[in-house]
């Protein structure tokens, strides 16, 4: 086209329909984009009820019915002109845009690639205007009776752009995109009723409700019961929403929903901040699940960087990171982190639960917080205190990392593996190995920075033969090993002699621990680039009391006390849960007492 | 099988064997007691495969025979009967019938075909020792054994004959207890080294009458007691060379009243870290200071004690649990603890040794970080 000598008179203005088609390619990628634009318009129009009907994955038929303000005849015609919008008037308005739409591109773009019909009636008029467009051209304008609000029907999407139509996926896939798009709006606008109809079947109808109820309906009540609510306001940003407990994460990052002033967005900064806030409490490879709503002054960000407005540019991404990181981290530090246990059979089948597949991956753990369970102070129940005042005092002590007092808790050891303790609401089950692992892990990290761990001298120094590779690893980590309380002397080129071991380590298997630690450290050094963290993990894993070690009542109580003095008493360094509770309510239910 | 026996006699015999019956077992027959009647005597046997006890009492035999019966109902019944004559018989279906003035009781038993046979001691060494003395030696050593199955040798007690000394030694790697007795008889010319599981010894220690003869075989050891025999498996493990780690030149010597030290340790260790139980001993001419602090809890405790101390000043840390356990086995009014350095073993001994014995314990210190 731009070949040499072929330049003159070749540049021409593109016809309007071509411009619209090109623009449509940017705004309208697939049927779900149409639904998104139309639903956004409906929400911007103040609708309280939105019905979306789909046929043929949206390729054949999309209809969005709302009960919003509606438009007059003049407005309805103007709406299809590019850059015609009711939402902003001046450049200044754009700087503080709060509505979804503002560029005035959407309707024109959709109309240009489809057969479109708009029926609209403002509440103050008694007759609807019906505009029919074909490939962006108005073919018919009539007046008809109709309900207040706007109904937009899009047929044969992309019929005028066959190449684009060719790229669409199967009906099912396209429908899934649509459903997940509506799901986002449903989460952000719990006060709006959403109905989705596919091939004339009602997929769901979400009644107006509170946020928690709506999220339960959309995401599922089970995942929601494993979340922590968070709410914080700093630097003019208000963050609220729900994050999953570390014990309930997903292998994929599907269920991460972020809304900025009600607009679904994606932000790597925020995703990363949330992920980082979990620290080591997530199993590796797992992604937390969260629904977060960020309210932030409109001058702090720009949504006009991407045609579909999915990506947002923030003025101060660092500040945003800090706000989100700390809000999420703070929310983790509660006793709410204790997973409780129940069977899926008692899960109430809520008719409003979405029955369709949202590509939701199965959660790892089938723990579910039972409905009638008393929420506060689960931790303090460990100590079986006499009065609630006292238990709250104990709990607040725990929060401030004070060792919990020795109480005459009732503790049992189950199969030398789990510690079972009676707590006020029922019983708590503690995995003895991971509990000790958590204690030792934090102690090890502390030992690197602050006080080294005390060493118990051995009567019989233990000789360990290492492979050449292991020996070089040992030489690398020896300063850290020393702080962990091991006194080790090199003896020749391949042999080390352990003269003292950390005083906390149970008598007995000391000589094995160091060798195992070196092996574990080597194994993990490929995946864990932080040598201190790696060593702390290897140390805690190998030195911790094992499943199968019998414990005395004093040892169990000591373990519980120490556990709740740690920063994250509910998840082990590898992300496994440490404490599970089984409430009396749950037991009552199982014994059919209720 | 049919015999009569007094309740008291039978109750005593059952008590002799009942502790060996395992409470949990994968082999149900081990929950039974073997009853065997012949030659005017009833033999009761219990075993958990590692340890077996057998005891013989004279009864009025009407008819010989044998069977095994669940230990619990039989023992509970006999315990709760008054001291009256009991007539005991077994039918061909292995039902044990106990008849007495109070009533008739039937317990379903089994044939003795499946009951494990007692080990055969291919005797090569024997030791004869006063029962009270052996019991005392066991008591002064078993507390120090290891519970860690990774080092099986340390879960037992070493029986050793060397230099005309009969020694019992136990250690878990952090402390060690050694008790030597010089008055014993043995056919062992040179050395004997055998590791006996702790469970067997706890049973043996209950016997304090007359003398006990210890028969050592290849895989098993048998303790012949006044009215019972106890068989135990030998731990076929090499015991560490404990003599090498017993220091001989600990020149700093603390002499202190045992009870005073025990009491002070108990009080001060309340303030120690609940896991490491670390207590600091500050030794000087003017006496001993015990102190402890729990860094996490922020509590501290300290006591000054009058004591006799020879040697340079010394700061040494100990796990108070280990020290208290050792002090609990000191019988004398005063205890002597000899030290060398903050990282080498402290030697705990009674101020005076009893006649014909030598009792000592080692406790390894905890390094103080300062």
């Amino acid at each position: 086209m731009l070949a040499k000598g072929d330049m003159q008179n070749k540049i021409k203005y593109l016809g309007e329909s071509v411009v619209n088609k090109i623009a449509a390619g940017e705004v309208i990628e697939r049927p779900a984009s149409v639904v998104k634009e139309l639903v956004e318009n409906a929400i911007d129009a103040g609708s309280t009820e939105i019905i979306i009907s789909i046929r043929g994955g949206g390729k054949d038929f999309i209809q969005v019915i709302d009960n919003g303000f509606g438009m007059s005849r003049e407005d309805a015609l103007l709406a299809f002109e590019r850059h015609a919008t009711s939402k902003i008037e001046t450049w200044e308005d754009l700087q503080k845009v709060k509505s979804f739409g503002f560029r005035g591109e959407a309707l024109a773009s959709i109309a240009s690639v489809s057969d479109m019909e708009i029926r609209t009636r403002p509440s103050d008029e008694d007759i609807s205007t019906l505009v029919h467009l074909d490939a962006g051209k108005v073919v018919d304008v009539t007046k008809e009776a109709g309900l207040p609000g706007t109904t937009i029907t899009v047929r044969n999407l992309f019929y005028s752009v066959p190449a684009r139509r060719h790229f669409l996926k199967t009906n099912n896939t396209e429908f899934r995109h649509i459903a997940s798009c509506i799901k986002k709006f449903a989460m952000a606008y719990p006060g709006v009723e959403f109905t989705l109809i596919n091939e004339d079947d009602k997929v769901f109808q979400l009644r107006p409700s509170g946020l928690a109820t709506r999220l339960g309906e959309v995401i599922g009540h089970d995942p929601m019961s494993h979340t922590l609510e968070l709410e914080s306001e700093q630097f003019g940003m208000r963050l609220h929403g729900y994050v999953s407990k570390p014990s309930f994460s997903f292998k994929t990052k599907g269920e991460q929903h972020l809304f900025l002033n009600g607009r679904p967005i994606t932000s790597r900064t925020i995703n990363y901040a949330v992920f980082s806030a979990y620290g080591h409490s997530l199993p590796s490879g797992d992604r937390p699940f969260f629904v977060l709503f960020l309210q932030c002054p409109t001058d702090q960000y720009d949504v006009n960087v991407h045609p579909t407005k999915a990506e947002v540019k923030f003025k101060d991404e660092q500040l945003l990171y800090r706000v989100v990181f700390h809000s999420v981290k703070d929310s983790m530090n509660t006793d709410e982190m204790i997973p409780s246990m129940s069977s899926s059979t008692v899960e109430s089948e809520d008719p409003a639960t979405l029955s369709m597949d949202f590509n939701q991956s199965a959660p790892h753990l089938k723990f579910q917080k039972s409905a009638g369970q008393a929420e506060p102070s689960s931790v303090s129940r460990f100590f079986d205190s006499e009065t609630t005042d006292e238990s709250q005092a104990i709990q607040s002590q725990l929060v401030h990392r004070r060792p919990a007092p020795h109480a005459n808790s009732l503790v049992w050891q189950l199969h030398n593996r789990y510690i079972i303790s009676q707590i006020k609401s029922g019983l708590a089950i503690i995995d003895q190995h991971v509990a000790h692992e958590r204690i030792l892990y934090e102690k090890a990290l502390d030992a690197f920075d602050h006080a080294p761990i005390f060493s118990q001298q051995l009567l019989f120094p233990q000789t360990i033969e290492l492979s050449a590779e292991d020996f070089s690893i040992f030489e690398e980590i020896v300063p850290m090993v020393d702080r962990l309380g091991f006194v080790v002397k090199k003896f020749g080129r391949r042999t080390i002699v352990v003269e003292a071991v950390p005083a906390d380590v149970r008598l007995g298997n000391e000589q094995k621990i160091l060798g195992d630690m070196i092996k574990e450290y080597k194994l993990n050094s490929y995946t864990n680039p932080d040598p201190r963290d790696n060593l702390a993990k290897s140390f805690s894993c190998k030195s911790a009391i094992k499943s199968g070690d019998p414990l005395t009542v004093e040892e169990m109580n000591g373990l519980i006390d120490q556990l709740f003095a740690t920063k994250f008493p509910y998840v082990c360094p590898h992300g496994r849960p440490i404490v599970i509770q089984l409430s009396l309510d749950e037991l009552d239910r199982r014994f059919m007492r209720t | 099988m049919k015999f009569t026996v007094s309740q008291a006699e039978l109750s005593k015999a059952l008590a002799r064997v009942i502790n060996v019956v395992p409470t949990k077992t994968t082999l149900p027959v081990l929950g039974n007691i073997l009853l065997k009647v012949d030659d005017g005597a009833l033999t009761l046997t219990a075993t958990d495969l590692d340890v077996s006890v057998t005891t013989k009492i004279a009864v009025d035999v009407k008819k010989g025979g044998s069977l095994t019966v669940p230990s619990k109902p039989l023992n509970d019944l006999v315990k709760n009967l008054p001291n009256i004559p009991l007539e005991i018989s077994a039918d061909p279906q292995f039902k044990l019938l106990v008849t007495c003035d109070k009533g008739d009781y039937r317990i379903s038993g089994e044939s003795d075909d499946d009951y494990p046979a007692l080990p055969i001691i291919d005797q090569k060494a024997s030791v004869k020792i006063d029962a009270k003395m052996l019991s005392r030696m066991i008591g002064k050593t078993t507390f120090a054994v290891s519970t860690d199955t990774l080092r099986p040798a340390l879960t037992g007690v070493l029986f050793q004959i060397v230099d005309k000394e009969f020694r019992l030694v136990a250690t878990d790697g952090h402390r060690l207890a050694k008790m030597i007795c010089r008055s014993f008889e043995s056919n062992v010319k040179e050395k004997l080294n055998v590791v006996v599981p702790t469970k067997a010894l706890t049973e043996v220690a209950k016997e304090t009458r007359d003398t006990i003869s210890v028969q050592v075989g290849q895989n098993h050891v048998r303790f012949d007691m006044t009215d019972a025999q106890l068989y135990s498996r030998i731990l076929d493990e090499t015991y560490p060379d404990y003599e090498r780690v017993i220091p001989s030149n600990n020149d700093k010597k603390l002499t202190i009243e045992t009870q005073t030290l025990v009491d002070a340790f108990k009080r001060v260790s309340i303030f120690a870290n609940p896991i490491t139980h670390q207590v600091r001993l500050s030794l000087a001419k003017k006496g001993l200071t015990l102190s402890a602090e729990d860094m996490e809890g922020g509590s501290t405790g300290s006591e000054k004690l009058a004591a006799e101390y020879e040697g340079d000043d010394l700061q040494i840390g100990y796990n108070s649990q280990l020290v208290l356990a050792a002090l609990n086995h000191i019988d004398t009014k005063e205890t002597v603890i000899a030290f060398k350095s903050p990282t080498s073993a402290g030697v705990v001994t009674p101020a005076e040794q009893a006649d014909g014995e030598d009792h000592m314990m080692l406790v390894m210190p905890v390094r103080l970080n300062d």
Side-chain angles (χ1 to χ4, degrees), chain B residues 205-226:
Chain B
K206 289 176 187 162
E207 178 63 81
T208 51
R209 294 169 297 167
D210 305 331
T211 53
I212 290 181
S213 157
V214 188
Q215 311 293 329
V216 183
Q218 189 66 41
N219 301 312
H220 290 87
V221 58
R222 190 181 72 221
F223 295 86
D224 293 336
M225 298 175 271
T226 309

Side-chain angles (χ1 to χ4, degrees), chain A residues 74-367:
Chain A
E74 290 67 36
D75 283 352
L77 285 170
L78 202 55
F80 297 96
E81 298 291 324
R82 177 161 300 272
H83 306 306
T85 181
S86 61
K87 295 170 186 174
I88 58 171
E89 282 177 19
T90 65
W91 174 247
E92 282 68 40
D93 288 347
L94 182 58
Q95 301 306 300
K96 48 190 186 218
V97 65
K98 278 188 177 137
S99 54
F100 282 112
F102 51 81
R103 285 191 294 246
E105 278 184 315
L107 280 181
S109 300
I110 299 167
S112 72
V113 292
S114 67
D115 175 358
M116 188 168 178
E117 197 182 84
I118 177 164
R119 179 194 298 269
T120 181
R121 179 191 140 190
S123 43
D124 55 350
E125 287 179 23
D126 16 324
I127 202 141
S128 303
T129 306
L130 183 72
V131 183
H132 187 200
L133 299 99
D134 188 8
K137 292 267 183 291
V138 177
V139 293
D140 198 15
V141 184
T142 52
K143 285 203 176 268
E144 273 186 21
L147 293 168
T150 304
T151 301
I152 295 183
T153 312
V154 176
R155 291 190 178 84
N156 297 325
L157 186 65
F158 295 132
Y159 84 97
S160 56
V161 202
R164 168 71 66 167
R165 195 174 170 93
H166 184 70
F167 278 109
L168 295 180
K169 301 280 191 292
T170 63
N171 290 357
N172 275 339
T173 310
E174 293 302 339
F175 175 73
R176 248 192 347 255
H177 283 287
I178 292 170
S180 98
C181 163
I182 296 170
K183 183 171 142 184
K184 292 246 183 210
F185 286 111
M187 286 189 257
Y189 295 90
V192 176
E193 178 170 328
F194 288 87
T195 307
L196 175 62
I197 296 163
N198 186 29
E199 311 289 353
D200 299 326
D201 281 340
K202 194 196 277 180
V203 180
F204 60 73
Q205 181 168 15
L206 302 169
R207 304 276 183 203
S209 60
L211 178 60
T213 316
R214 175 59 64 88
L215 292 179
E217 286 168 354
V218 174
I219 294 168
H221 294 285
D222 184 37
M224 282 307 291
S225 66
H226 298 288
T227 56
L228 301 163
E229 189 172 3
L230 71 88
E231 179 142 21
S232 74
E233 195 160 357
Q234 315 173 50
F235 305 103
M237 295 187 215
R238 182 171 173 270
L239 188 72
H240 77 283
Y242 297 85
V243 292
S244 60
K245 296 175 189 175
S247 54
F248 195 85
S249 50
F250 292 89
K251 279 291 176 207
T252 60
K253 59 172 209 166
E255 296 289 342
Q256 301 188 343
H257 305 283
L258 193 56
F259 300 90
L260 172 64
N261 294 340
R263 176 193 302 278
I265 59 156
T266 58
S267 161
R268 296 173 71 126
T269 306
I270 294 176
N271 282 8
Y272 188 65
V274 175
F275 180 69
S276 307
Y278 281 82
H280 303 296
S281 56
L282 276 183
S284 80
D286 272 25
R287 294 279 173 269
F289 130 71
F290 60 80
V291 184
L292 289 176
F293 298 88
L294 181 65
Q295 244 96 47
C296 162
T298 50
D299 59 359
Q300 289 298 311
Y301 62 91
D302 183 5
V303 278
N304 197 19
V305 290
H306 190 271
T308 63
K309 299 160 193 152
E311 269 177 38
V312 174
K313 216 173 143 185
F314 287 91
K315 264 192 186 150
D316 190 345
E317 300 252 335
Q318 291 241 318
L319 177 71
L320 180 71
Y321 176 89
R322 287 207 306 275
V323 168
V324 175
F325 178 85
H326 290 294
S327 307
V328 176
K329 203 173 173 89
D330 288 349
S331 73
M332 304 270 158
N333 233 343
T334 73
D335 56 311
E336 282 289 285
M337 299 264 297
I338 306 177
S340 65
M341 185 170 64
S342 82
S343 67
S344 46
T345 50
V346 290
E347 193 177 330
S348 62
E349 228 7 277
D350 192 327
T353 304
L354 306 193
S355 54
M356 64 190 191
D357 175 23
F358 280 139
N359 277 343
Q360 187 173 306
S361 32
H364 294 241
L365 296 163
K366 277 282 177 199
F367 302 141

Side-chain angles (χ1 to χ4, degrees), chain A residues 455-457 459 507-508 510 562, chain B residues 151 173-174 275 364-365 367:
Chain A
S455 310
Q456 167 73 55
Q457 293 288 125
L459 202 45
L507 306 182
E510 344 39 27
Q562 284 193 88
Chain B
R151 275 196 273 177
H174 293 177
I275 300 302
M364 290 306 279
R367 285 195 189 205

